[in-house]
Amino acid sequence: MKDNFALVFDIGSLKLRAIVAKNGLNNTFNIRGYKEYEYDGFYQGDFIMPEKLSLLFEQVITDLDASPSKELNKVYIGVPAEFSSVMRTDVTINFGMRRKVKQADIDSLYYMASEKAKNSAVEVVSVSPISYNLDDGRITFDPLGEIASNITANLSVVYADKKIIDLFNNIVAGLGFESVEYLSEPLAQALYIIPKERREDLTLLIDVGDLTTSISFVKGNGLYALTSFSRGGGFITNDLAEAFDLSMNEADKLKRQIVLSLKGRPNDCYELSADVGKTIKIPLTSANEVVSYRIDELAEVIAKCVQMNTREYLTYLPVYLTGAGITKIKGGRDYLGKGLGRNVSYGLPPLPGKDKPELASIFSLLSAALNGK
C-alpha cells in the first residue's frame, strides 16, 4: 500500500473533501489531486440529502480522474465522530509459561476485543491500544518482545453506525471499486496530530467544524472517550446574521473580521461591504459578544466532558484544536482556552505548507490510509 495511490474521502458537516495521493519523501505526500465541495452535509447524526451523495461521489471520481484501476482499486472513507462511538474493554491472554510477547498475541487480543464488542446496530471500525498490563505489574504501550506469562490489554473499540456503513457501501459498489475501508476520523487525527510522547497521558482533541464538534480523549494509540454534538462555526455565523439583520454571506464576512482580543470603545465598529454594495457598520463590542457567547457555550460543554471522563479535574491536560469552526476566528483559540482555564494548541498536520488546523482531518485520514495507522 505504501507505494500505491489512495483515494480518501473526508466527510465534513458542510464540506466533503477528497484526495488522491501516495507517500512522498521525508514523511510527505505525493498529491495527484485534491478537491473540496460544499454539500447539504449532516446534522444531528443524519445526512440532510442522502440521495444526492451518489452523484457527488461520481463527480469526485470524474474531477479527480480517479476511476477504478489496478493502482486505485480501494476507497477510504473517514467516519465522523457524530456517527461514531467508543467502548473501552480489557482482554487477557494467558501463555501458561513466561515467554516473549509476539505480534500474533497482540492480534489475538484485538480479535477477542472485536468479537466481544459485536453489535447488530453498529460496525467495528478499529481496535487500538490504550495500554498493556504485564503480569509483573508493569504498564507498557508497546509489549512486543516483553517477557510475560500473561498480558492484559486495555483496548479502545471505535464503532460506526450501521446506517452510514450501508449508505457508503452502496455508493462505492455503484462506482465499481473492489473494496472500501472505513477509518475513524477522530482516531486518525489523534494519531497523526498529537505527538506520541503527549499521548502517554490523557490528551484532549477538539475538532470544531461548521455544524458539528467532536471532543476526543486520547491515550496511548486509542480513543479513551468520544463525544460529539451539533454545534460549530456555522452557528456563530447564523447568530451574527440574526443579531445584526445580515445575510449569511454578510455574516460570514463579519465573522472573518472579528478580533476577540479587541476591547472596543463605544463608537468602534467593524465595517463590511453589504451584498447590495453599500458599507455596513457593526458595533465592535456587540459583535464580539455574540461570538464570545457561542465559544463560552462550547467551553462549558468541554469542561463537563472533562469532569465526566476523568476521575478528577486534571490540572495538566494537553488540549489540541482542529477544524475551521473556531480556528478561523482571530483570537478564537485563546478565548476558548481562557474559558477552559487551559492552554490550547492548534492541531497541525506536520506537512510544509499544509500545516493548518482546518486540514488536519483530511491529511490525518490520508496518513491512516497509506500507513495503516
Side-chain angles (χ1 to χ4, degrees), residues 86-210:
V86 168
M87 180 190 81
R88 296 193 312 276
T89 186
D90 289 330
V91 288
T92 301
I93 289 182
N94 289 297
F95 304 139
M97 57 180 287
R98 289 183 67 78
R99 64 165 174 82
K100 282 187 176 182
V101 179
K102 304 172 184 176
Q103 183 60 49
D105 301 323
I106 297 171
D107 293 342
S108 293
L109 289 166
Y110 287 13
Y111 176 75
M112 290 163 63
S114 62
E115 286 296 301
K116 187 178 177 181
K118 277 188 174 176
N119 184 311
S120 60
V122 293
E123 189 161 311
V124 174
V125 172
S126 71
V127 179
S128 49
I130 292 173
S131 63
Y132 298 90
N133 287 57
L134 304 178
D135 57 340
D136 59 6
R138 284 182 297 145
I139 297 175
T140 179
F141 296 100
D142 183 9
L144 205 59
E146 296 282 358
I147 304 295
S149 60
N150 69 68
I151 180 172
T152 298
N154 183 223
L155 299 175
S156 167
V157 180
V158 179
Y159 295 112
D161 291 353
K162 199 73 167 61
K163 61 184 179 182
I164 190 176
I165 300 295
D166 292 340
L167 173 64
F168 287 112
N169 277 352
N170 290 332
I171 291 172
V172 173
L175 296 173
F177 288 91
E178 288 183 12
S179 62
V180 55
E181 182 174 335
Y182 296 93
L183 305 168
S184 166
E185 182 192 302
L187 177 61
Q189 285 200 55
L191 298 182
Y192 189 59
I193 297 301
I194 304 173
K196 188 175 181 180
E197 62 274 11
R198 281 293 182 95
R199 291 188 264 113
E200 290 183 2
D201 294 311
L202 204 62
T203 301
L204 189 59
L205 174 64
I206 305 163
D207 182 351
V208 184
D210 199 82

Side-chain angles (χ1 to χ4, degrees), residues 217 300-314 342:
F217 293 85
E300 285 180 20
V301 174
I302 295 168
K304 286 178 183 176
C305 286
V306 172
Q307 290 175 339
M308 288 171 58
N309 290 289
T310 58
R311 291 180 185 148
E312 57 196 35
Y313 192 79
L314 298 175
R342 303 177 183 277

